[in-house]
Amino acid sequence: MIESQRHSYHLVDPSPWPISGSLGALATTVGGVMYMHPFQGGATLLSLGLIFILYTMFVWWRDVLRESTLEGHHTKAVQLGPRYGSILFIVSEVMFLFAFFWASSHSSLAPTVEIGGIWPPKGIGVLDPREIPFLNTPILPSSGAAVTWAHHAILAGKEKRAVYALVATVSLALVSTGFQGMEYYQAPSTISDSIYGSTFFSATGFHGFHVIIGTLFLIICGIRQYLGHLTKEHHVGFEAAAWYWHFVDVVRLFPFVSIYWWGGI
Amino acid sequence: MAEIELKTAPADFCFPSANQTRHCFTRYIEYHKCLKAKGEDAADCQKFARYYRSLCPLEWIEKWNEQKESGTFPAPL
């Protein structure tokens, strides 16, 4: 297999997942547009598309794990691909969230006369930043510290300890997501309440969505670590999850200061 | 024929650019704050009234007056 090729790259076998992912994306986009306009069957197509995309992600990445961990195709040269890819993906996510923070700043720094030139607009119930947001603000960075602990454990070859550290990371993350969910549930304003609601909930909502995705990624790393997939020298998947997690965690600080704290007073 | 004196609101350095929306809004609010502070018939407040009436489109003034009456005016007065 890998001994019979005279180069250190990975020429993948033909796979149906790219086309299935594309079909899923097509169904999602068309279904989404149909759902938002008065066409029959939009919701069904949208959900089918999303399920299809999730399924494709699951089987594609399962194949990557099989090819790398079980079949050994991921040489150092091949690992550079996922490494750089993860970094660039995270950079693109930063750009995405930056757009929402820009929108928030645009609306809040020079509020229009239509909302009375004040921020927050009159009548909007703001969440007290000293309550749940302040509690969540140390929880996520502690989770980031736990993931660093896990990384050091993996590098030192202490496999069991790494599993415990990952369990700690994920538990902290789930606690913080739980608190955030509770806070959304009893928030006095909604996304449709003036430009405040739109910018607040879209920025914090997308951040929350990224936290959930990051948590899922870390859970999978935890399972893989438990199953013994990760070694001291080779754990690109874990590193990608840790980088993503640190990104999510650092990004949390910016909305706390600008949206919750500054934007609420 | 008597000289007709034509005047408009003075240029305010706080609002230097072409978009004078905030200037209009600020004068409108200033007028109403003045009325609140000095009483309904104060003559000093008429200066602000002339300013906002020169700067603001009639539709906006009417809309804001309606909002004030129904208690939905968005700015604190």
Side-chain angles (χ1 to χ4, degrees):
Chain A
M1 201 181 352
I2 195 161
E3 307 82 46
S4 56
Q5 62 185 50
R6 288 204 261 164
H7 59 84
S8 49
Y9 298 102
H10 182 198
L11 298 170
V12 293
D13 293 325
S15 158
W17 312 133
I19 189 86
S20 85
S22 315
L23 288 172
L26 177 65
T28 306
T29 46
V30 172
V33 171
M34 282 169 72
Y35 177 66
M36 291 189 254
H37 289 266
F39 288 108
Q40 293 278 36
T44 324
L45 192 56
L46 174 62
S47 2
L48 261 172
L50 285 171
I51 292 176
F52 217 65
I53 291 185
L54 286 169
Y55 175 67
T56 304
M57 288 180 182
F58 175 71
V59 285
W60 190 326
W61 283 325
R62 184 185 61 180
D63 274 358
V64 172
L65 291 188
R66 285 174 175 171
E67 290 161 6
S68 58
T69 309
L70 305 177
E71 292 178 13
H73 284 288
H74 280 202
T75 63
K76 278 288 178 206
V78 174
Q79 282 173 46
L80 285 179
R83 274 178 187 278
Y84 285 140
S86 311
I87 293 177
L88 289 173
F89 177 64
I90 292 175
V91 170
S92 80
E93 295 272 76
V94 169
M95 295 293 109
F96 180 70
L97 286 173
F98 183 65
F100 286 94
F101 289 118
W102 183 334
S104 198
S105 305
H106 175 100
S107 314
S108 57
L109 287 167
T112 61
V113 301
E114 281 82 355
I115 52 170
I118 51 171
W119 191 270
K122 186 169 158 188
I124 298 281
V126 198
L127 294 163
D128 188 343
R130 292 162 302 187
E131 292 178 7
I132 292 191
F134 190 60
L135 176 60
N136 265 342
T137 302
I139 295 186
L140 269 183
S142 318
S143 171
V147 92
T148 307
W149 173 30
H151 194 191
H152 284 256
I154 293 181
L155 290 170
K158 302 259 194 272
E159 311 211 328
K160 233 188 185 166
R161 208 179 283 186
V163 177
Y164 294 148
L166 278 170
V167 165
T169 310
V170 169
S171 323
L172 283 167
L174 289 171
V175 160
S176 112
T177 305
F179 280 143
Q180 190 68 50
M182 256 168 55
E183 188 190 50
Y184 262 30
Y185 191 64
Q186 27 120 306
S189 52
T190 72
I191 197 171
S192 30
D193 284 325
S194 144
I195 188 69
Y196 180 85
S198 303
T199 50
F200 178 83
F201 286 103
S202 46
T204 57
F206 271 118
H207 179 256
F209 181 60
H210 285 69
V211 169
I212 294 175
I213 302 264
T215 310
L216 198 56
F217 196 174
L218 285 168
I219 291 179
I220 298 195
C221 283
I223 295 177
R224 291 186 67 206
Q225 173 60 15
Y226 180 71
L227 295 173
H229 288 191
L230 308 175
T231 73
K232 304 200 238 197
E233 288 96 21
H234 188 173
H235 45 263
V236 178
F238 174 81
E239 282 171 320
W243 293 333
Y244 195 80
W245 197 242
H246 288 308
F247 142 71
V248 147
D249 167 9
V250 164
V251 164
R252 175 77 173 79
L253 287 173
F254 296 129
F256 177 68
V257 172
S258 62
I259 299 183
Y260 279 98
W261 189 356
W262 179 86
I265 50 177
Chain B
M1 175 96 160
E3 275 276 339
I4 302 177
E5 205 189 333
L6 296 171
K7 277 203 295 200
T8 183
D12 187 348
F13 282 128
C14 293
F15 311 103
S17 46
N19 186 339
Q20 293 286 292
T21 308
R22 279 189 204 282
H23 190 185
C24 136
F25 191 65
T26 306
R27 294 293 186 205
Y28 180 85
I29 295 203
E30 247 176 347
Y31 171 65
H32 287 286
K33 280 191 171 145
C34 174
L35 285 185
K36 211 170 174 185
K38 300 206 170 157
E40 284 294 321
D41 292 317
D44 312 323
C45 298
Q46 288 315 309
K47 179 177 72 173
F48 297 124
R50 283 199 297 275
Y51 291 166
Y52 88 74
R53 285 172 201 153
S54 310
L55 288 164
C56 304
L58 192 59
E59 294 92 357
W60 296 5
I61 299 176
E62 284 170 352
K63 183 177 79 186
W64 292 333
N65 287 340
E66 267 168 37
Q67 284 179 330
K68 281 183 77 263
E69 250 135 71
S70 64
T72 56
F73 187 66
L77 271 182

